[in-house]
Amino acid sequence: MIDFTQKKFGLISLGCDKNRVDAEKLLSRIEERGCTITNDIDQANVLIVNTCSFLEASRREAIETIIDCAANRGGNLEKIVVTGCLPQKFIDEVYPALTEADMFLGTYDYELFFEALEKAYAEGRCNMTGMGKDAFYGGRVVTTPLHYAYLKIADGCSNCCTYCLIPKIRGSYFSHPMEKLVEEAEGLGELSELILVAQDVTRYGIDLYGKKSLCELVRRLTALENIASVRLLYCYPEMIDDELIAEVRDNPKVVKYLDIPFQHSEDRVLKLMNRRGTRAGYLALIEKLRKNIPGIAIRSTFICGFPTETEEESAALGSFLKQAKLDNCGFFAYSREKGTFAYSMKGQVPAAEKRRRVKNMYAIQRGISLERMRSYAGKKLRVLCDGISEENGCFTGRAYFSAPDIDGEVLFNAHEAEQGKFYDIYIEDFDEYNLYGRTEDFER
């Protein structure tokens, strides 16, 4: 038996916030074993790369990261461990080819970590992908700033969009038990913001309890004394009902913000994507949300250049943006993924054209965002301090309409500010995505 307490463990986590939660739970298992975790990759004896494989670009990033890590051999590095989505879906390809890595585990194999590592040390290489039981584990070593954290309430996906590999990587949608999620949240310490994530948070509970249970979960989480607020990401538009709207509106601890991935606006393209929405339905939902939840911020994502998308349909998406006036948007060129239905569709759009359409959509949204930012000039906003921006030489934070990493910031001057605390910031300037201001008592 190897005494792993004498080893130092480093971790690089790639991909989404859901991947981050997986990585944090793995770190907790390592810490629970009495091992040392280091942020200095050069000091790590065992280096873990937690991978994403949702898109070809993410797979390329994962492989390049693993190869780069191998350059550390000859120093302290003894083993490279690859976990997560890349081995889960592509193990038959990466295990024989990616000889830089010593050990492979899939998305649901983390409880086998030390068993597999022992084997890797004994035999040189080890693959235990797909051998785990996916037992729920609530321990976390939080890697975000300590005042906010993500809570992954479900895994997998059953929506089967024709462009998406997630169901083939992580399987069908399954919810985590509510009591375990509440216990996990309670163990995260004092949080200014708890961010709920899943491929689709609005589907939570249907598989476990036979009904949509997100609102009940939200009520139980906001009842915890250590949770100051809850933010909801990734809400499937057709699953947003009157109960959820009322919960967001009436629960003072729920941030008035929803991330709703519409993916497109035009009915024909949406149908090809196997999305159940329509342009008229999306606009009606946006209007309903704004009518019932005054000031609500709505974020979305869109795919440009889906197979057979015409120039007219791309232009129509632009007109949808102008009509919807969403608070924040992300645009992505369609990625042709082998194993999805859309991969074999005729009418693939050339890469250069996809990039052009993405650029056009961002140009439209920048204009919308600029007007939105202008509306805050001269006003006071309640801002959560996220820390110090060394690049800008001031404090950085977020208003309610911004989620970490994906939306803009409020950069502000103050005599002092504490991470995780809220401040009233007087807004003096703006650009397309960020606001600039100061506390009222700060004088230049």
Side-chain angles (χ1 to χ4, degrees):
M1 291 285 290
I2 296 173
D3 182 5
F4 288 116
T5 62
Q6 301 303 308
K7 307 289 185 185
K8 291 184 178 180
F9 291 77
L11 184 142
I12 299 170
S13 189
L14 305 173
C16 65
D17 41 44
K18 297 174 284 294
N19 252 24
R20 180 194 285 268
V21 173
D22 290 342
E24 291 177 344
K25 293 192 174 193
L26 176 55
L27 288 176
S28 181
R29 291 179 186 274
I30 293 169
E31 191 176 72
E32 191 178 57
R33 183 74 172 251
C35 303
T36 301
I37 298 169
T38 179
N39 291 323
D40 185 351
I41 292 175
D42 293 334
Q43 295 298 314
N45 305 118
V46 179
L47 185 53
I48 306 154
V49 182
N50 192 44
T51 61
C52 174
S53 65
F54 176 50
L55 301 174
E56 191 276 332
S58 60
R59 295 192 291 277
R60 185 169 58 249
E61 179 189 23
I63 291 169
E64 289 174 353
T65 300
I66 294 161
I67 292 172
D68 287 345
C69 289
N72 283 20
R73 292 193 191 275
N76 295 304
L77 183 61
E78 298 170 1
K79 296 294 177 185
I80 295 176
V81 177
V82 179
T83 63
C85 295
L86 182 66
Q88 181 70 29
K89 178 67 173 70
F90 298 98
I91 189 61
D92 291 341
E93 300 171 35
V94 299
Y95 184 75
L98 203 56
T99 55
E100 290 84 356
D102 304 289
M103 174 181 143
F104 294 82
L105 295 174
T107 54
Y108 304 128
D109 304 319
Y110 295 101
E111 78 267 24
L112 302 175
F113 180 79
F114 283 104
E115 179 184 343
L117 189 58
E118 189 88 40
K119 190 173 180 181
Y121 269 97
E123 301 177 8
R125 297 188 84 210
C126 174
N127 171 28
M128 297 186 77
T129 301
M131 298 174 65
K133 297 179 180 178
D134 186 39
F136 182 88
Y137 180 79
R140 297 274 292 278
V141 172
V142 176
T143 60
T144 51
L146 294 179
H147 63 286
Y148 71 83
Y150 296 95
L151 184 70
K152 186 165 72 169
I153 66 174
D155 215 325
C157 188
S158 297
N159 287 328
C160 297
C161 301
T162 58
Y163 51 81
C164 184
L165 275 174
I166 293 298
K168 294 193 175 184
I169 296 172
R170 290 186 172 264
S172 299
Y173 190 95
F174 63 97
S175 306
H176 295 309
M178 194 175 302
E179 62 274 10
K180 291 185 177 181
L181 290 172
V182 172
E183 183 180 355
E184 181 180 339
E186 201 165 17
L188 291 172
E190 297 292 326
L191 293 178
S192 302
E193 187 172 289
L194 180 68
I195 305 168
L196 305 194
V197 294
Q199 293 301 325
D200 173 7
V201 299
T202 47
R203 190 175 294 275
Y204 176 78
I206 292 176
D207 56 307
L208 271 184
Y209 309 115
K211 62 178 181 178
K212 289 190 285 186
S213 304
L214 177 61
C215 290
E216 182 181 351
L217 174 62
V218 167
R219 285 190 285 269
R220 291 186 62 177
L221 291 171
T222 54
L224 297 176
E225 292 185 2
N226 65 306
I227 305 298
S229 67
V230 167
R231 185 185 295 270
L232 303 178
L233 298 189
Y234 319 128
C235 300
Y236 200 78
E238 284 69 52
M239 298 290 284
I240 297 173
D241 57 17
D242 290 344
E243 182 187 17
L244 180 58
I245 292 172
E247 188 66 30
V248 175
R249 180 191 63 217
D250 299 335
N251 189 329
K253 281 192 173 185
V254 176
V255 180
K256 307 320 181 208
Y257 172 109
L258 290 178
D259 186 314
I260 311 172
F262 291 123
Q263 307 299 9
H264 210 279
S265 64
E266 299 312 289
D267 295 0
R268 189 189 71 86
V269 179
L270 287 166
K271 187 174 181 180
L272 288 175
M273 289 178 167
N274 197 33
R275 304 284 291 186
R276 293 185 291 276
T278 64
R279 180 188 181 107
Y282 288 168
L283 290 172
L285 174 62
I286 293 166
E287 182 180 5
K288 182 176 183 179
L289 288 168
R290 287 174 172 158
K291 180 180 179 181
N292 286 275
I293 310 172
I296 187 172
I298 303 172
R299 187 186 200 281
S300 192
T301 50
F302 297 90
I303 295 172
C304 300
F306 189 78
T308 76
E309 181 195 55
T310 65
E311 182 65 33
E312 290 75 19
E313 286 167 329
S314 180
L317 173 57
S319 71
F320 174 88
L321 296 174
K322 294 175 183 177
Q323 189 172 356
K325 296 187 184 301
L326 300 172
D327 294 80
N328 293 291
C329 292
F331 303 95
F332 303 92
Y334 165 72
S335 179
R336 190 182 184 191
E337 300 298 329
K338 192 173 183 179
T340 64
F341 183 83
Y343 179 86
S344 301
M345 289 178 61
K346 295 180 179 179
Q348 298 288 330
V349 178
E353 178 61 22
K354 288 188 286 188
R355 291 193 296 269
R356 186 186 70 82
R357 293 180 187 183
V358 167
K359 185 177 179 180
N360 287 346
M361 293 307 113
Y362 269 118
I364 291 170
Q365 185 60 34
R366 276 197 299 272
I368 295 167
S369 297
L370 185 64
E371 288 305 307
R372 178 173 147 271
M373 293 293 100
R374 181 178 283 111
S375 70
Y376 296 112
K379 297 180 180 178
K380 287 182 183 178
L381 281 177
R382 188 168 183 257
V383 172
L384 174 63
C385 179
D386 282 336
I388 295 174
S389 171
E390 295 183 3
E391 178 183 353
N392 294 283
C394 61
F395 294 100
T396 180
R398 292 174 291 113
Y400 77 95
F401 46 76
S402 295
D405 298 325
I406 57 175
D407 298 325
E409 301 174 296
V410 179
L411 298 160
F412 65 95
N413 290 303
H415 292 299
E416 59 180 7
E418 185 178 344
Q419 189 178 67
K421 301 294 184 183
F422 288 91
Y423 297 88
D424 289 329
I425 303 301
Y426 178 76
I427 303 303
E428 298 177 305
D429 202 358
F430 59 92
D431 59 28
E432 293 96 330
Y433 300 112
N434 302 314
L435 296 170
Y436 304 87
R438 59 176 174 81
T439 52
E440 195 166 13
D441 63 347
F442 183 87
E443 295 182 4
R444 296 185 183 277

